[in-house]
């Protein structure tokens, strides 16, 4: 198996606008991140991924880029970015940027020139006189009318995010140039936004009628994509010591292996989303009760499916997903369940991704008023679902509270002061009132905190290669409350036991850990070796 720094590392995702404000404008920024490098070092992470920091009109919080080679003024300057890269490197931390190239902003000069029919840019986007029947990820149709060009353009996300035409070699060369630009500035890799939808079927045919994402069969993992990614690897990525992680929507194991095959290395790892359906049908906006088995089955499927052939990402949260402790854990056992979830996911095979605030057990925003949510997806879905299914405002608000992306975007909770130490101004999104009890400062005073537990896990991964590279095997596969698995590596063995229940659980056969050393647990003491307490997690090890 190939051993590399990005397989052995731990990634920390920063959502810059919510991490740390340095100038009191209510918006996080690069100097703010710089000031928190000691915190990242103490946590022990080795790679930072920044959600987009490029100039953007912020229709979708930076995922609508209007200039790929500069920094959004609210976040700082290019000099700040260079400084951040150098300082992170000095601290032994690599840095990965978000690469959003399925679409640009409609305020990007390419789109404006394309709308003018400037011959150089005319084919940078998909223009049609007649729309097809595709629908967008944010709800509604995927086409918008442009007055200037007198034509419709394709946008799989918001109207202000027109899709780039990857058939056009000039577009692909532009993307190569962007990659080179940042790699030459010292960037260590890219998280590639919705990368498995960049290739669209020729002629953009109508899609099969379906409720969600009509037309998706014409762009999800379209075969042309392998040519595009192969070209990027060869022309650019192969020349640098960097890695790519693809955000691959609706991906399955065979398609993932198509991107990850070692001889092609189109991507180094992918984000899959199957386990994100543990509490919803297909999309977050159709919630259902959380069942642990719906978390365990897909995670095991991906562990088994990629073993020896690919490489997994291990995550429970990001800027698009509600907080994991609110979804899969418990309020009554907040601390225990947050630690248990970390044990369950980060002892599997793959590269861990921690989303800011997860390491202190931050919870969903829980705002009661729709006006307190800023996210475009939330507002579009609210309107669409009310119109389509005649859902009441009350019902929709219950869903918003569960599903909104702003659940994970509330400012980072550094301390118990008014704005949680995030800003001295008015925060762009309300701070979660629970920051008085859930915050970094409080965690730092408690040797038994969630933060301290994350530090332990990260340190263990560095000390025990079995955690990184060991094979994975399910134990008690169909158990509905116990998630147990074994890892094996060069004669060593790890057994991980996680109780997903507010009740105690007695272990029966099939999880043997006799003669093994207890490496980690989220409870101080075990009265009976074979009884797990509520949300208890244990990790056993044998040389
Ligand atoms: C996925 C990103 O994670 C999300 O935040 C964004 O809205 C869409 N891609 C569109 O770029």
């Amino acid at each position: 198996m190939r051993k590399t720094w990005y397989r052995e590392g731990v990634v920390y995702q920063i959502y810059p606008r919510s991490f740390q404000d340095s100038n009191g404008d209510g918006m996080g920024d690069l100097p703010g991140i710089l000031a928190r490098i000691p915190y990242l070092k103490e946590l022990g992470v080795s790679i930072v991924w920044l959600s987009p920091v490029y100039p953007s009109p912020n229709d979708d919080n930076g995922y609508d880029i209007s200039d790929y080679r500069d920094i959004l003024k609210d976040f700082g300057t290019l000099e700040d970015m260079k400084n951040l890269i150098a300082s992170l490197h000095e601290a032994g931390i690599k840095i990965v940027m978000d690469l959003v190239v399925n679409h640009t902003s409609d305020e990007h000069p390419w789109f404006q020139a394309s709308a003018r029919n400037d011959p150089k840019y005319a084919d940078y986007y998909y223009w049609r006189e007649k729309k097809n029947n595709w629908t967008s990820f944010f709800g509604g149709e995927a086409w918008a009318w442009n007055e200037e060009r007198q034509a419709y353009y394709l946008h799989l996300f918001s109207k202000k995010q027109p899709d780039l035409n990857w058939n056009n070699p000039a577009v692909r060369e532009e993307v190569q140039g962007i990659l080179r630009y940042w790699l030459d500035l010292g960037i260590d890799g890219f998280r590639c936004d919705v990368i498995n939808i960049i290739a669209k079927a020729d002629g953009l045919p109508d899609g099969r009628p379906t409720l969600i994402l009509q037309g998706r069969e014409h762009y999800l993992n379209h075969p042309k994509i392998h040519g595009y990614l192969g070209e990027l690897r060869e022309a650019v990525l192969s020349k640098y010591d960097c890695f790519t992680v693809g955000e691959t929507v609706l991906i399955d194991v065979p398609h993932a292996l198509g991107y990850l095959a070692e001889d092609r290395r189109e991507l180094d790892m992918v984000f899959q989303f199957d386990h994100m359906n543990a509490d919803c049908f297909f999309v977050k906006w159709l919630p259902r009760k959380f069942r642990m088995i719906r978390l365990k089955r897909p995670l095991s499927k991906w562990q088994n499916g990629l073993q020896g052939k690919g490489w997994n990402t291990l995550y429970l949260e990001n800027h698009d997903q509600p907080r994991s402790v609110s979804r899969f854990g418990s309020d009554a056992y907040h601390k225990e369940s947050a630690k248990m979830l970390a044990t369950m996911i980060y002892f599997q095979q793959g590269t861990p991704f921690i989303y800011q605030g997860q390491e202190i057990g931050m919870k969903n925003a829980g705002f009661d008023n729709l006006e307190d949510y800023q996210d475009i997806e939330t507002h579009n879905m609210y309107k669409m679902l009310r119109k389509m299914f005649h859902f009441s405002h009350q019902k929709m608000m219950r869903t918003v509270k569960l599903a909104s992306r702003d659940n994970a975007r509330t400012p980072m909770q550094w301390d118990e002061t008014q704005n949680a130490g995030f800003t001295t101004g008015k925060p762009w999104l309300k701070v979660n009132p629970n920051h008085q009890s859930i915050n970094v400062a409080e965690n730092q005073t408690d040797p038994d905190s969630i933060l301290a537990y994350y530090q332990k896990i990260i340190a263990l991964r560095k000390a025990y290669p079995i955690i990184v590279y060991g094979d994975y095997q399910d134990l008690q596969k169909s158990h509905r409350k116990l998630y147990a698995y074994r890892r094996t590596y060069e004669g060593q063995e790890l057994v991980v036991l996680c109780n997903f229940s507010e009740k105690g659980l007695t272990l029966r056969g099939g999880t043997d850990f006799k003669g093994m050393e207890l490496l980690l647990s989220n409870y101080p003491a075990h009265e009976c070796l074979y009884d797990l307490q509520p949300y208890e997690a244990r990790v056993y090890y044998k040389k």
Side-chain angles (χ1 to χ4, degrees):
M1 188 186 311
R2 196 158 54 87
K3 299 192 169 166
T4 63
W5 57 267
Y6 46 84
R7 291 184 170 184
E8 288 164 20
V10 173
V11 184
Y12 187 84
Q13 183 192 352
I14 291 182
Y15 194 66
R17 60 169 48 219
S18 300
F19 191 61
Q20 177 69 70
D21 179 18
S22 73
N23 59 1
D25 67 356
M27 182 97 83
D29 48 41
L30 300 185
I33 300 174
L34 191 83
R36 293 296 181 181
I37 292 179
Y39 173 75
L40 300 171
K41 240 191 125 167
E42 211 178 296
L43 179 58
V45 297
S46 46
I47 305 167
V48 158
W49 149 30
L50 293 190
S51 277
V53 289
Y54 315 91
S56 160
N58 285 312
D59 189 51
D60 185 19
N61 286 1
Y63 283 89
D64 46 324
I65 298 171
S66 53
D67 180 354
Y68 287 91
R69 294 169 191 243
D70 205 349
I71 299 295
L72 178 74
K73 283 203 176 58
D74 294 332
F75 290 162
T77 62
L78 198 54
E79 276 315 300
D80 291 326
M81 185 65 186
K82 289 181 188 165
N83 199 0
L84 180 63
I85 299 171
S87 306
L88 281 167
H89 283 167
E90 237 164 74
I93 300 174
K94 309 240 186 206
I95 170 168
V96 166
M97 286 180 93
D98 227 298
L99 179 77
V100 188
V101 286
N102 172 68
H103 44 268
T104 68
S105 161
D106 65 343
E107 297 181 31
H108 194 292
W110 299 339
F111 185 77
Q112 293 174 344
S114 196
R116 283 198 304 275
N117 235 330
D118 176 329
K120 179 160 180 231
Y121 296 99
D123 289 333
Y124 267 43
Y125 298 84
Y126 293 103
W127 295 99
R128 291 288 179 276
E129 275 163 25
K130 257 186 86 217
K131 331 179 241 192
N132 68 14
N133 69 356
W134 296 6
T135 55
S136 118
F137 280 74
F138 288 162
E141 45 182 44
W143 292 90
W145 177 252
N146 181 275
E147 267 305 306
E148 197 175 4
R149 177 129 168 187
Q150 290 289 300
Y152 292 99
Y153 61 90
L154 176 69
H155 63 87
L156 286 179
F157 292 88
S158 93
K159 280 194 179 75
K160 288 184 68 64
Q161 292 168 299
D163 280 51
L164 279 167
N165 174 10
W166 276 72
N167 290 311
N168 184 345
V171 166
R172 306 203 297 272
E173 265 168 45
E174 299 271 16
V175 173
Q176 290 174 17
I178 295 165
L179 288 172
R180 273 192 211 102
Y181 174 80
W182 288 106
L183 289 164
D184 289 340
L185 282 177
I187 288 299
D188 302 291
F190 298 94
R191 174 268 189 189
C192 310
D193 191 66
V194 290
I195 198 71
N196 65 326
I197 68 168
I198 58 173
K200 276 90 178 169
D202 293 339
L204 309 182
D206 272 339
R208 276 192 304 274
T210 130
L211 209 56
I212 291 160
L213 293 180
Q214 189 158 267
R216 62 181 185 269
E217 68 276 22
H218 297 305
Y219 56 77
L220 277 178
N221 309 306
H222 189 278
K224 281 192 289 187
I225 194 177
H226 298 293
Y228 300 161
L229 293 180
E231 189 180 76
L232 264 189
R233 168 68 51 191
E234 200 183 316
V236 186
L237 297 167
S238 62
K239 315 251 187 310
Y240 297 82
D241 179 22
C242 65
F243 84 101
T244 54
V245 48
E247 187 204 22
T248 45
V249 288
L250 299 170
I251 189 96
D252 55 18
V253 169
H255 281 104
L257 289 172
Y259 296 118
L260 298 174
E262 278 291 319
D263 54 336
R264 297 205 305 269
R265 261 186 87 194
E266 289 173 19
L267 295 166
D268 291 301
M269 47 186 115
V270 297
F271 289 119
Q272 59 82 17
F273 290 89
D274 289 343
H275 64 304
M276 290 289 109
N277 291 340
D279 59 353
C280 58
F281 298 96
F282 196 52
V283 286
K284 314 184 277 263
W285 293 95
L286 302 172
R288 60 176 166 173
K289 196 170 169 0
F290 167 61
R291 297 240 185 273
M292 188 275 273
I293 199 83
R294 292 198 286 248
L295 196 62
K296 168 153 81 172
R297 270 194 204 124
L299 286 172
S300 307
K301 181 184 81 185
W302 280 89
Q303 285 292 304
N304 291 313
L306 297 196
Q307 195 140 282
K309 297 182 228 151
W311 193 251
N312 269 295
T313 55
L314 307 174
Y315 79 94
L316 291 176
E317 292 185 19
N318 61 41
H319 63 291
D320 293 330
Q321 299 291 337
R323 292 288 183 179
S324 60
V325 73
S326 301
R327 299 174 77 179
F328 316 134
S330 144
D331 278 337
Y333 292 92
H334 173 244
K335 216 164 147 178
E336 291 82 358
S337 63
K339 293 178 183 177
M340 182 279 290
L341 287 168
T343 316
M344 181 278 294
I345 193 80
Y346 297 133
F347 279 86
Q348 302 200 6
Q349 191 190 66
T351 298
F353 284 73
I354 300 168
Y355 177 68
Q356 67 182 46
Q358 183 187 335
E359 74 281 14
I360 53 167
M362 276 179 65
K363 294 191 196 175
N364 279 351
F367 304 144
D368 292 321
N369 299 321
L370 187 61
E371 305 76 64
D372 287 333
Y373 294 85
Q374 311 261 344
D375 172 34
I376 180 167
E377 180 194 69
T378 305
H379 287 275
N380 283 2
M381 285 298 178
Y382 174 91
K383 279 185 226 136
M384 191 184 97
L385 293 172
R386 283 208 66 182
K387 196 164 143 200
M388 251 169 104
F389 301 112
H390 306 289
F391 288 158
S392 68
H393 171 72
Q394 284 74 9
K395 180 175 166 60
M396 269 319 296
M397 282 317 293
R398 282 198 296 276
T399 307
V400 164
K401 278 184 165 188
L402 293 175
S404 173
R405 303 193 295 183
D406 280 347
N407 280 313
R409 297 178 179 182
T410 57
M412 180 71 183
Q413 295 169 201
W414 295 104
D415 59 37
E416 58 173 23
T417 60
Q418 198 194 359
N419 291 320
F422 163 67
T423 180
T424 52
K426 183 172 184 286
W428 72 275
L429 181 67
K430 274 192 176 169
V431 173
N432 193 321
N434 70 18
H435 73 274
Q436 281 166 358
S437 53
I438 301 177
N439 61 62
V440 170
E442 163 76 22
N443 271 254
Q444 283 170 332
T445 60
D446 173 9
D448 189 38
S449 66
I450 302 172
L451 181 65
Y453 194 84
Y454 268 78
Q455 284 168 327
K456 269 189 218 156
I457 292 185
I458 296 170
L460 285 170
R461 281 185 63 90
K462 289 183 190 152
Y464 292 83
I466 183 173
I467 307 175
V468 180
Y469 292 113
D471 281 344
Y472 171 99
Q473 188 198 339
D474 288 303
L475 301 171
Q476 307 248 352
K477 218 171 164 171
S478 47
H479 202 299
R480 303 202 152 245
K481 295 291 173 197
L482 176 71
Y483 191 159
Y485 55 88
R486 175 183 292 129
R487 308 282 310 276
T488 48
Y489 181 69
E490 296 180 347
Q492 303 159 45
E493 198 181 329
L494 268 184
V495 169
V496 179
L497 305 171
C498 296
N499 177 14
F500 271 76
S501 154
E502 296 202 354
K503 296 198 190 108
L505 187 155
T506 300
L507 296 168
R508 310 203 186 279
T511 48
D512 202 8
F513 46 86
K514 257 191 244 123
M516 296 180 81
E517 165 200 350
L518 183 67
L519 201 60
L520 182 70
S521 165
N522 61 347
Y523 273 83
H526 305 113
E527 277 167 24
C528 171
L529 210 54
Y530 291 97
D531 284 336
L532 292 182
Q533 299 171 74
Y535 291 100
E536 181 166 351
R538 289 188 211 162
V539 180
Y540 286 99
Y541 172 70
K542 191 170 77 190
K543 251 211 204 88

